[in-house]
């Protein structure tokens, strides 16, 4: 029997929603996934560089998270745990589809189709400018080694702290800091070829 929320599900913390889900409330789980779907998509898209693959990875990640939710012990936040599952699903999908070979600068040309960003603003000029910058950043991210790209995406796009990134990746905070340092250096070098930084 589902337990009713004392407050709106949208106002409940992740922990409260997990408790409600454990008590049989399906709306609690729906709220959790709704809360993090855009963030999960951004992470998957940055890791894969392709909208369709990112959507597949998010779907696969959410299915895996749902199947493994009973084993979630709360040692990290739900957000951190979910992003670990989604980023692992994205990297698995990328490996299956050979993304490492296809994510090179050679595939990007002036005739590239525009990338779709789920967070484009209402102002068309700002939206185009932002899309151009995102396209350049996607190209630059594609030049990073997988470990640096994943670390950078989790910190910059998912807005995880160093500690949370370390938890997601199962590495030390020092390794996170090192990967971020080298990723930023390489991104700066690549982007400076295209724009004045």
């Amino acid at each position: 029997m589902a337990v009713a929320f004392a407050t709106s599900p949208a106002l409940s913390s992740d922990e409260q929603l997990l408790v409600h889900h454990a008590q049989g409330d399906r709306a609690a789980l729906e709220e959790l996934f709704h809360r993090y779907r855009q963030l999960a998509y951004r992470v998957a898209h940055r890791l894969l560089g392709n909208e369709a693959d990112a959507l597949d990875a998010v779907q696969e990640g959410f299915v895996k998270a749902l199947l493994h939710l009973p084993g979630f012990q709360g040692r990290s936040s739900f957000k951190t745990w979910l992003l670990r599952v989604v980023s692992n699903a994205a990297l698995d999908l990328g490996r299956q589809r050979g993304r490492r070979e296809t994510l090179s600068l050679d595939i990007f040309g002036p005739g590239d189709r525009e990338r779709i960003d789920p967070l484009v603003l209402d102002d068309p000029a700002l939206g185009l400018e932002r899309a151009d910058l995102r396209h350049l950043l996607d190209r630059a991210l594609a030049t990073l080694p997988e470990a640096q790209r994943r670390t950078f995406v989790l910190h910059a796009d998912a807005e995880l702290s160093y500690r949370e990134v370390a938890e997601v990746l199962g590495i030390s905070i020092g390794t996170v800091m090192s990967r971020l340092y080298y990723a930023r250096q390489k991104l700066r070098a690549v982007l400076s070829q295209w724009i004045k930084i």
Side-chain angles (χ1 to χ4, degrees):
M1 179 175 154
V3 176
F5 284 101
T7 62
S8 165
L11 299 176
S12 298
S13 71
D14 291 354
E15 293 77 20
Q16 291 169 325
L17 290 170
L18 288 168
V19 168
H20 285 289
H21 169 68
Q23 295 171 344
D25 191 337
R26 291 186 53 156
L29 188 61
E30 289 173 19
E31 173 60 26
L32 278 170
F33 286 124
H34 176 75
R35 188 173 285 181
Y36 296 114
R37 69 180 181 195
Q38 290 284 26
L39 183 58
Y41 171 80
R42 276 199 323 264
V43 167
H45 188 269
R46 288 283 191 211
L47 291 172
L48 295 166
N50 176 292
E51 179 187 3
D53 288 350
L55 290 171
D56 287 347
V58 170
Q59 181 177 359
E60 178 70 19
F62 279 15
V63 167
K64 286 181 179 178
L66 181 60
L67 293 174
H68 293 98
L69 191 57
F72 174 66
Q73 297 177 4
R75 283 184 237 147
S76 62
S77 70
F78 177 78
K79 173 185 168 184
T80 301
W81 178 77
L82 179 64
L83 290 176
R84 179 182 325 140
V85 173
V86 170
S87 65
N88 285 339
L91 292 175
D92 289 346
L93 181 66
R95 282 187 209 97
Q96 290 170 5
R97 296 190 180 172
R99 300 297 302 163
R100 294 231 359 122
E101 287 74 35
T102 60
L103 277 178
S104 72
L105 291 178
D106 298 337
I107 66 167
F108 297 101
D112 246 5
R113 71 176 181 88
E114 290 181 27
R115 301 223 180 254
I116 297 173
D117 183 351
L119 301 176
V120 172
L121 303 174
D122 290 334
D123 183 349
L126 288 175
L128 286 174
E129 185 175 305
R130 186 172 178 179
D132 288 344
L133 289 173
R134 285 217 173 266
H135 179 70
L136 288 176
L137 184 57
D138 286 343
R139 290 175 61 183
L141 282 170
T143 68
L144 294 177
E146 182 180 294
Q148 288 178 9
R149 184 173 69 244
R150 188 173 182 198
T151 303
F152 183 84
V153 166
L154 289 171
H155 181 66
D157 277 324
E159 299 177 355
L160 297 182
S161 69
Y162 288 177
R163 181 187 56 75
E164 291 172 321
V165 173
E167 288 176 15
V168 168
L169 299 177
I171 58 177
S172 71
I173 291 176
T175 302
V176 170
M177 294 169 72
S178 174
R179 286 183 185 176
L180 287 173
Y181 173 80
Y182 288 112
R184 288 176 181 134
Q185 296 295 353
K186 180 148 188 180
L187 290 172
R188 186 175 290 119
V190 171
L191 289 171
S192 69
Q193 297 171 17
W194 302 318
I195 57 177
K196 296 276 189 204
I197 297 181

